[in-house]
């Protein structure tokens, strides 16, 4: 489970793509509120965290296109910052002011379903989602096996590495196993004559959830483990796989290859970190911020414990669903179907959905691999391919009713381990006790 501010990380992202004006052109102005008179259009509200800048503009473009081409149903967007999004959903719902269409972080879906906020997808839409999206995206948008919305942004985790730093340490390829990961981390770590770290071999960081919880859960999935049990009522991290992950991280910190207090986002782009696990949104930011130095950046699939082990990693995401309190659910699903399944031309002979075009225009991916290949095309940034490939084997983060608080408890205990306040065994015991109490209480 990722992102205290947002799952993607601390800054927003952009791919440099020339998407057709048919998909990105701005249309009519926002619709007026209906008066209730015969013939007045239905006005749906869509509440998201796309509150400013390129995100706000990117969502408004297809909304304006819809409003310009549909007379009976209009859509009006509302937005709050990500940090306020879950609270806004719950408070507005309690006050009877919930929006018709919601865009939650999928981690919250169990809580929102439990609170009676999200409406299950109609059979037609559920079938389209199962058919059109990867398993991780479908899983993120489901609770108890039932689908509640269309997956929008999808993020998978992989290994970023600095080619120059590896080459200077005599290493010719990124690590494929955990043994190689450790060896590469120790060999690329550099200190000055006073013992101060100049280069971290592997970037563990307490900066945000993407590098605390996100990295840990990605490694846990790669080891064949899970954070919570299948029924969602207890933690499953106190296992051989969980112990192996925390042992690995503890060794990296105690042997000086990782410095958790460092902001890994700044340190990696300045050449002070050799490797770090993060999500695919970061490629666009690194490319924009690093300039010519971006040529040193490579991305590889997440290392597995042993050669031959089945690949797995973490997937996070958002979705669009319909509020149980909406007076116009049929029209809301009609708009979501148009936005997420109807395809438009993006280049000669290639088509993609409007939502996929929206996400790629701001540097993200969706769970529709066919759309991503059409939009990214040949000759694109090769660093995006491992994230696209990972859509096939990534594991969605658990979204049980107590997932948000469970994530916070996990982060607290991981940081206590990294900073020497707890041993591996004490961390596992505390995580089990605290998370079990939280998720069992949430049902």
């Amino acid at each position: 489970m990722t992102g205290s501010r947002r799952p993607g990380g601390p800054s927003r992202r952009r791919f440099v793509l020339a998407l057709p004006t048919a998909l990105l052109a701005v249309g009519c102005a926002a619709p007026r509120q209906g008066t209730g008179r015969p013939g007045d259009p239905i006005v749906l509200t869509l509440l998201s965290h796309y509150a400013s800048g390129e995100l706000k503009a990117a969502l408004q473009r297809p909304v304006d296109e819809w409003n310009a081409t549909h007379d009976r149903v209009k859509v009006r967007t509302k937005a709050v910052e990500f940090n306020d999004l879950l609270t806004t959903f719950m408070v507005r719902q309690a006050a009877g002011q919930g929006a018709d269409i919601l865009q939650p972080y999928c981690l919250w879906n169990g809580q929102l379903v439990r609170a009676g906020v999200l409406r299950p997808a109609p059979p037609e839409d559920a079938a389209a989602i199962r058919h059109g999206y990867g398993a991780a995206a479908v899983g993120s948008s489901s609770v108890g096996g039932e689908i509640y919305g269309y997956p929008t942004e999808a993020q998978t985790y992989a290994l970023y590495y600095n080619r120059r730093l590896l080459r200077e340490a005599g290493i010719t390829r990124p690590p494929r196993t955990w043994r190689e990961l450790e060896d590469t981390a120790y060999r690329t770590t550099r200190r000055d004559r006073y013992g101060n770290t100049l280069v971290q071999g592997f970037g563990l960081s307490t900066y945000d959830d993407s590098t605390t919880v996100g990295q840990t859960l990605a490694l846990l999935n790669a080891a064949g483990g899970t954070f919570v049990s299948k029924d969602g009522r207890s933690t499953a991290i106190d296992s051989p796989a969980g112990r192996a992950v925390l042992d690995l991280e503890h060794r990296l910190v105690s042997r000086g290859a990782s410095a958790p207090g460092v902001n890994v986002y700044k340190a990696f782009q300045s050449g002070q970190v050799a490797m770090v696990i993060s999500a695919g949104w970061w490629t666009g930011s690194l490319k924009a911020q690093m300039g010519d130095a971006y040529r040193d950046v490579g991305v590889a699939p997440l290392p597995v414990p042993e050669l031959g082990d089945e690949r797995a990693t973490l997937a996070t995401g958002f979705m669009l669903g319909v509020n149980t309190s909406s007076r116009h659910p049929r029209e809301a699903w009609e708009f979501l179907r148009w936005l997420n399944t109807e395809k438009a031309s993006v280049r000669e002979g290639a088509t993609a959905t409007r939502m996929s075009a929206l996400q790629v225009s701001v540097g993200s991916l969706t769970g529709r691999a066919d759309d991503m290949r059409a939009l990214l095309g040949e000759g694109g940034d090769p660093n995006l391919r491992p994230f696209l490939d990972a859509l096939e084997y990534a594991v969605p983060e658990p979204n049980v009713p107590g997932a948000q608080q469970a994530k916070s408890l996990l982060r607290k205990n991981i940081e206590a381990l990294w900073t020497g306040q707890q041993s591996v065994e004490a961390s596992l015991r505390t995580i089990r006790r605290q998370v079990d109490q939280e998720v069992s209480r949430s049902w």
Side-chain angles (χ1 to χ4, degrees):
M1 301 156 201
T2 68
S4 56
R5 286 189 309 243
R6 92 152 289 186
S11 60
R12 194 57 195 186
R13 50 279 184 171
R14 179 173 59 210
F15 297 156
V16 182
L17 293 177
L19 296 179
T21 56
L23 285 178
L24 299 183
V26 175
C28 67
R32 61 187 174 90
Q33 177 64 48
T35 65
R37 295 194 297 266
D40 202 43
I42 293 169
V43 179
L44 303 172
T45 54
L46 189 163
L47 177 60
S48 77
H49 61 287
Y50 290 0
S52 61
E54 61 182 358
L55 283 170
K56 182 177 181 179
L59 177 60
Q60 194 61 46
R61 285 189 285 262
V63 168
D64 284 345
E65 182 190 351
W66 167 274
N67 289 333
T69 55
H70 293 75
D71 295 327
R72 186 177 61 88
V73 178
K74 303 294 184 180
V75 177
R76 180 173 55 197
T77 60
K78 295 183 177 181
V80 297
E81 296 296 335
F82 175 74
N83 281 346
D84 301 321
L85 189 60
L86 178 59
T87 300
T88 302
F89 287 157
M90 303 300 286
V91 170
R92 289 191 178 181
Q93 194 76 6
Q97 299 174 352
D100 297 281
I101 299 170
L102 306 175
Q103 189 184 24
Y105 174 28
C106 290
L107 176 72
W108 305 332
N109 284 348
Q111 179 177 345
L112 294 173
V113 169
R114 173 92 168 143
V117 176
L118 289 175
R119 184 185 298 265
E124 174 187 354
D125 296 276
I129 292 164
R130 287 193 183 94
H131 177 73
Y133 295 81
V138 174
S140 293
S141 298
S142 303
V143 177
E146 187 161 27
I147 294 174
Y148 284 85
Y150 279 93
T152 56
E153 178 180 343
Q155 296 294 341
T156 57
Y157 279 65
L159 181 76
Y160 287 86
Y161 63 97
N162 185 306
R163 291 188 179 92
R164 176 182 59 80
L165 294 176
L166 266 63
R167 186 170 57 249
E168 290 174 354
I171 300 167
T172 58
R173 66 172 184 232
R176 299 163 298 172
T177 66
W178 287 11
R179 185 184 297 275
E180 291 180 358
L181 178 70
E182 277 199 81
D183 178 65
T184 301
Y186 300 141
R187 289 171 61 180
T188 52
T189 297
R190 287 169 34 201
R191 297 179 181 81
D192 62 19
R193 60 177 178 165
Y194 303 106
N196 300 311
T197 300
L198 300 175
V199 174
Q200 292 182 69
F202 188 81
L204 295 175
S205 177
T206 59
Y207 180 73
D208 72 355
D209 289 344
S210 292
T211 50
T212 306
V213 177
Q215 286 197 101
T216 300
L217 291 187
L219 289 167
L220 181 64
N221 292 335
T226 58
F227 178 35
V228 298
S229 61
K230 287 185 178 181
D231 65 8
R233 297 174 184 268
S234 62
T235 183
I237 198 172
D238 190 4
S239 64
R243 188 169 288 102
V245 171
L246 296 192
D247 276 335
L248 171 65
E249 294 179 345
H250 183 258
R251 288 195 300 272
L252 289 167
V253 174
S254 62
R255 298 180 185 179
S258 298
V262 173
N263 179 349
V264 73
Y265 294 109
K266 293 182 178 179
F268 183 85
Q269 70 185 47
S270 61
Q272 296 173 306
V273 175
M275 299 178 294
V276 65
I277 295 168
S278 194
W281 66 266
W282 202 20
T283 55
S285 292
L286 288 173
K287 195 169 188 177
Q289 294 162 2
M290 293 180 68
D292 291 343
Y294 181 73
R295 64 178 178 269
D296 292 329
V297 177
V299 177
L302 203 68
V304 291
E306 301 288 344
L307 280 179
D309 286 351
E310 187 175 351
R311 289 203 182 282
T313 188
L314 177 68
T316 66
F318 286 78
M319 70 163 216
L320 281 167
V322 176
N323 198 328
T324 56
S325 66
S326 173
R327 293 186 298 165
H328 307 287
R330 185 172 63 85
E331 290 80 5
W333 286 112
E334 179 186 353
F335 168 73
L336 293 184
R337 203 174 302 129
W338 172 88
L339 181 65
N340 293 281
T341 67
E342 185 177 302
K343 299 215 174 184
S345 177
V346 294
R347 58 172 57 89
E348 186 176 352
T351 62
T353 65
R354 292 170 176 83
M355 177 52 68
S356 290
L358 184 165
Q359 292 298 331
V360 169
S361 75
V362 294
S364 186
L365 301 174
T366 68
R368 300 187 69 107
D370 56 341
D371 279 359
M372 293 302 98
R373 293 188 177 96
L375 286 161
L376 299 177
E378 296 298 328
D381 187 346
N383 284 340
L384 298 176
R385 294 296 157 175
F387 301 104
L388 178 58
D389 293 342
L391 291 172
E392 299 296 322
Y393 57 79
V395 179
E397 59 185 339
N399 59 9
V400 298
Q404 179 65 59
Q405 181 62 18
K407 177 199 72 173
S408 299
L409 294 169
L410 178 59
R411 177 179 179 179
K412 178 180 177 182
N413 283 282
I414 292 171
E415 292 178 351
L417 171 69
W418 290 357
T419 55
Q421 300 172 54
Q422 289 180 174
S423 66
V424 169
E425 290 298 328
S427 296
L428 289 169
R429 286 195 306 271
T430 306
I431 292 168
R432 182 180 65 227
R433 174 175 53 80
Q434 293 179 346
V435 174
D436 282 359
Q437 181 179 11
E438 181 59 38
V439 297
S440 63
R441 177 173 54 200
S442 300
W443 288 84

